[in-house]
Amino acid sequence: MPKITYIEHNGTQHEVDAEVGVSVMQAAIDNLVPGIDADCGGECSCATCHVMVKEDWVAKTGSPEEGEESMLDLNPERQGNSRLSCQITVTEELDGLIVDLPEFQF
Amino acid sequence: MSEAIQPRMIDFKPHEIPLEDFDISQRELWSEDLKMAYFERLREEAPVHYCKDSEFGPYWSVTRYADIMEVDSNWQDFSSEPAITIIDPEEDFPLPMFIAMDPPKHDDQRKTVQGSVAPANLKNLESTIRGRVQTVLDELPVGEEFDWVDRVSIELTTQMLATLFDFPFEDRRKLTRWSDVATGGPETGVVETEEQRREELMECLAYFTRLWQERQEQGLSNDFISMLAHGEATKDMSPEEYLGNLILLIVGGNDTTRNSMTGGVLALNENPGEYAKLRNNPGVIPNMVSEIIRWQTPLAHMRRIANRDYELGGQTIKQGDKVIMWYLSGNRDERAIENPNEFIIDRKRARQHLSFGFGPHRCMGNRLAELQLRILWEEIQKRFHMVEVVGEVERVPSNFVHGYTKMPVVLHPL
C-alpha cells in the first residue's frame, strides 16, 4: 500500500499506509491523523480537509478543478500548493506523498 | 394588529392531511414547535416536495441531508440571489448582502471581511471571550430564577458582536435590537408596523454611517467596519448594500450562537444522562458543541432559486422556482445521521451536520461560534452543578431563526 506522510503544523509526522482508491482525506481519517475535519464527508463543499502538498509532489497530485478552486479561494490562509485532500485520490504513483497540515482548518 | 395576522388554529394531523396540502412554512407550526412531525413525513414520503401556495408563494422543500448537500454545494444551478430566506425581498426596500449574491461578487465581498473571524485571528480573541464569559457567569444569581436568554445568551453574543464591529460597548444592545428587527416584522410582534421596522433599520444605517466615516479617516484595522470601508470590493458600496451587509454580519453573529447557547442548556435538561456524561468528562465539550449546533440548527433553512430545470429526488424543479433547503430536517435524517433524534454529546462524526451550510456560502463565523460555545461550557462546568430549566421556554415564531425568546433557569452550585 502507498505510504503517505502528514506533517502537523507543530512538526509531528504521521506516516500511514493508504488504500489505493480512497482519498488522501479518507486515508487520514481512517488512520486517526489529527488536523483534518472533513465536515462535509468528502463532497468538496466545506474546505476543512485543507493540506499543502510538498513541492516535489505537486505535479503528481495535479491541480484543483473548478469546484475545489472556488472553495480554496475563500480560505484566507491558502498557499500556492494548497489542496483539498478529499479531491486527491490515492494511487500507487503517490507512494511517498508528503503533505503539510495547516495550523487551523477554516 | 390586523385580522390577517391573528394566529390561525392549526389542524395538527401530520399523518392524515394530504401531502399536497403540506405547508411547512406556516408560522404556527414553528411557534408551537410542531414542525418535526411534518418534516419526518416529508423526508419519508416526499423528500423533494412542492407547496403550491403559501404565505410566501409557491416553493419546493428539500428535506433529506444528501439532497440538501447537493443543492447547497451547486451554486451554478441554484442561485442565492436575490435573498436567502423564504420571504421575498421588499422591492422598495432592497437589502443587498453578500450571502445573497453569487460568485464572483460574493467571493470578493466575503474575502474583504472574513479574515477577522478566521482561526488565526481567533487565537487573539480567546482570552477576551473567556474573561467576558467569566464576568457574565459570576454576576448571575445562584438559586433563584432568571432568564438565561437575556442574561447569558444575548449578553455574550452581543458583547462579541460589539468587539467584531469595534462598536461603542455601552450601546451594544442596539445591535441585538437591530438583529431582531431585521429578521422579524409586524407578524412576529417585534415591531408594530412595517414603517416602524424600516425606521429602525434606517437608524441602524445612520449610526453605522457615522462609524464608517470615522473608520475611513483612520488606517485599516481589524474590525468589520474598517475592513468594509477600506476593502477594494466594498469601499464604494451604496448605503443599501452597506446596510444589507451590516445586517448579514449582525444576524450571522447574533441569532445563531445566541440560540445555540440556549438550546444546549435545554437539550442537556431534556437528556439528564447526557448532562451526567458532561459532568464526568468535560473533555467531551468540543464534540458536544458540534452536537448542540446540529441539535439546535439555529437557522432552520436557506433558500435558492433554480437557474435551470433540475431533476432532484424524482421531481423536476423548474427554472425560476424557489427551493428551500430545510437544514433542520436534514439534521434529523436517519439516512445520514445515526439515531438523529437522540442528543448524544459524544456522538461520532458530530461535525458532520448541515447547520453551517456547505459550498461557497458556508458559515464564515463557524469557528468563532464553536469557540464561544466551547468557552461558555468550560466556564459553566467550573462553576455550576446544573443550569436547571424551571419553566416553559418561549420560541421565536419564525421558520428561519430557530430559537428562543425566553428560558427560565435556576443555577445549582457545584
Side-chain angles (χ1 to χ4, degrees):
Chain A
M1 287 205 280
K3 286 200 189 305
I4 299 178
T5 303
Y6 302 83
I7 306 176
E8 287 185 66
H9 186 74
N10 66 13
T12 310
Q13 300 203 3
H14 304 266
E15 190 185 89
V16 311
D17 292 314
E19 210 177 307
V20 169
V22 305
S23 67
V24 171
M25 174 278 280
Q26 195 59 49
I29 301 285
D30 292 345
N31 290 282
L32 306 177
V33 176
I36 289 186
D37 290 329
D39 291 358
C40 75
E43 304 281 336
C44 195
S45 298
C46 69
T48 65
C49 64
H50 176 209
V51 300
M52 281 82 75
V53 175
K54 273 276 189 260
E55 296 302 339
D56 330 347
W57 290 93
V58 168
K60 276 193 181 157
T61 49
S63 41
E65 288 182 12
E66 192 195 348
E68 181 185 349
E69 178 58 40
S70 68
M71 290 306 294
L72 274 173
D73 191 41
L74 292 171
N75 188 329
E77 284 143 42
R78 179 192 189 165
Q79 313 286 316
N81 55 342
S82 285
R83 290 295 306 273
L84 297 183
S85 55
C86 71
Q87 299 301 304
I88 307 173
T89 306
V90 175
T91 58
E92 291 294 352
E93 261 212 304
L94 292 187
D95 185 22
L97 173 67
I98 301 170
V99 297
D100 287 313
L101 301 177
E103 185 175 12
F104 308 101
Q105 295 290 349
F106 187 47
Chain B
M1 271 198 185
S2 73
E3 283 284 301
I5 53 176
Q6 292 294 324
R8 288 163 291 170
M9 286 300 289
I10 287 282
D11 190 15
F12 183 65
K13 290 176 183 152
H15 295 280
E16 288 165 38
I17 67 168
L19 276 172
E20 60 180 36
D21 296 334
F22 253 55
D23 175 12
I24 190 70
S25 74
Q26 296 170 91
R27 292 176 204 284
E28 293 79 359
L29 290 174
W30 293 78
S31 52
E32 297 303 320
D33 199 23
L34 300 171
K35 69 272 177 187
M36 291 304 189
Y38 275 67
F39 278 134
E40 197 180 320
R41 185 159 170 222
L42 284 178
R43 283 195 304 275
E44 200 55 47
E45 297 177 32
V48 179
H49 172 267
Y50 190 66
C51 174
K52 57 189 181 301
D53 188 31
S54 81
E55 182 186 342
F56 312 98
Y59 65 93
W60 290 93
S61 283
V62 182
T63 47
R64 286 188 185 170
Y65 189 103
D67 292 337
I68 293 170
M69 176 80 87
E70 182 174 335
V71 172
D72 214 359
S73 41
N74 185 351
W75 58 267
Q76 293 93 338
D77 291 330
F78 294 98
S79 172
S80 292
E81 297 179 4
I84 46 80
T85 64
I86 192 168
I87 186 164
D88 292 319
E90 299 143 70
E91 276 173 26
D92 58 339
F93 195 67
L95 290 172
M97 54 182 81
F98 67 78
I99 196 175
M101 294 172 192
D102 294 326
K105 196 174 179 194
H106 159 268
D107 297 14
D108 295 340
Q109 293 201 358
R110 172 174 167 141
K111 280 192 242 172
T112 304
V113 286
Q114 70 179 6
S116 65
V117 288
N121 198 42
L122 297 186
K123 269 203 303 199
N124 310 322
L125 282 174
E126 177 158 355
S127 63
T128 307
I129 296 172
R130 192 174 299 277
R132 287 180 181 167
V133 168
Q134 289 167 341
T135 304
V136 164
L137 292 181
D138 287 339
E139 284 172 355
L140 296 172
V142 173
E144 66 182 71
E145 186 177 320
F146 68 94
D147 178 16
W148 183 265
V149 173
D150 182 59
R151 295 284 301 268
V152 180
S153 310
I154 290 180
E155 188 53 32
L156 286 175
T157 44
T158 305
Q159 288 189 7
M160 188 73 249
L161 265 186
T163 300
L164 293 175
F165 282 107
D166 194 8
F167 189 88
F169 209 62
E170 64 286 1
D171 275 351
R172 64 188 182 276
R173 284 278 171 147
K174 286 183 189 292
L175 295 168
T176 322
R177 174 66 188 167
W178 291 328
S179 180
D180 290 343
V181 171
T183 56
E187 69 288 347
T188 63
V190 69
V191 285
E192 294 287 321
T193 60
E194 180 58 27
E195 291 68 45
Q196 185 198 343
R197 177 171 175 272
R198 292 184 186 190
E199 269 169 34
E200 291 200 35
L201 291 177
M202 293 319 286
E203 280 169 30
C204 170
L205 176 61
Y207 196 111
F208 271 100
T209 301
R210 287 197 300 276
L211 296 178
W212 172 286
Q213 283 155 356
E214 185 187 298
R215 304 287 150 86
Q216 216 174 20
E217 287 160 19
Q218 299 157 354
L220 174 65
S221 63
N222 215 7
D223 67 87
F224 282 145
I225 306 169
S226 180
M227 287 171 146
L228 289 170
H230 291 273
E232 217 27 67
T234 47
K235 64 184 170 49
D236 299 319
M237 279 188 299
S238 67
E240 297 83 56
E241 203 164 341
Y242 181 38
L243 179 59
N245 278 319
L246 286 168
I247 287 170
L248 165 62
L249 296 167
I250 294 172
V251 173
N254 189 44
D255 278 313
T256 52
T257 312
R258 178 207 297 186
N259 289 314
S260 293
M261 285 178 170
T262 307
V265 172
L266 184 61
L268 286 165
N269 273 259
E270 289 167 344
N271 297 274
E274 298 304 298
Y275 213 146
K277 261 189 214 169
L278 169 63
R279 284 186 201 106
N280 295 331
N281 177 21
V284 77
I285 287 174
N287 202 77
M288 177 180 84
V289 163
S290 291
E291 177 67 347
I292 287 172
I293 295 168
R294 176 191 76 92
W295 188 251
Q296 180 58 37
T297 318
L299 295 181
H301 77 261
M302 285 283 162
R303 151 257 192 71
R304 299 288 183 263
I305 298 287
N307 278 336
R308 63 171 179 90
D309 290 2
Y310 192 96
E311 295 287 324
L312 186 70
Q315 303 289 320
T316 304
I317 295 169
K318 292 280 182 200
Q319 182 177 5
D321 283 356
K322 189 192 285 194
V323 179
I324 307 298
M325 303 175 285
W326 294 104
Y327 292 157
L328 182 63
S329 171
N331 276 339
R332 293 289 191 282
D333 183 359
E334 65 277 12
R335 292 155 199 84
I337 296 167
E338 211 175 312
N339 300 319
N341 294 313
E342 288 172 36
F343 175 73
I344 305 170
I345 64 172
D346 51 355
R347 175 183 287 284
K348 284 182 190 145
R349 302 191 298 123
R351 299 191 58 84
Q352 293 191 13
H353 60 71
L354 293 167
S355 302
F356 293 132
F358 285 110
H361 295 283
R362 182 173 166 81
C363 175
M364 184 179 92
N366 74 93
R367 299 288 168 177
L368 176 59
E370 290 172 349
L371 178 66
Q372 288 177 274
L373 287 161
R374 173 169 68 76
I375 293 173
L376 174 62
W377 280 102
E378 286 169 356
E379 297 299 324
I380 289 174
Q381 287 313 100
K382 285 181 199 159
R383 287 167 176 73
F384 309 117
H385 176 73
M386 187 177 187
V387 184
E388 187 190 2
V389 179
V390 294
E392 286 295 308
V393 298
E394 287 174 20
R395 290 173 191 275
V396 181
S398 160
N399 56 34
F400 178 62
V401 174
H402 184 227
Y404 312 90
T405 50
K406 208 170 178 184
M407 187 174 76
V409 300
V410 169
L411 297 176
H412 300 278
L414 282 177

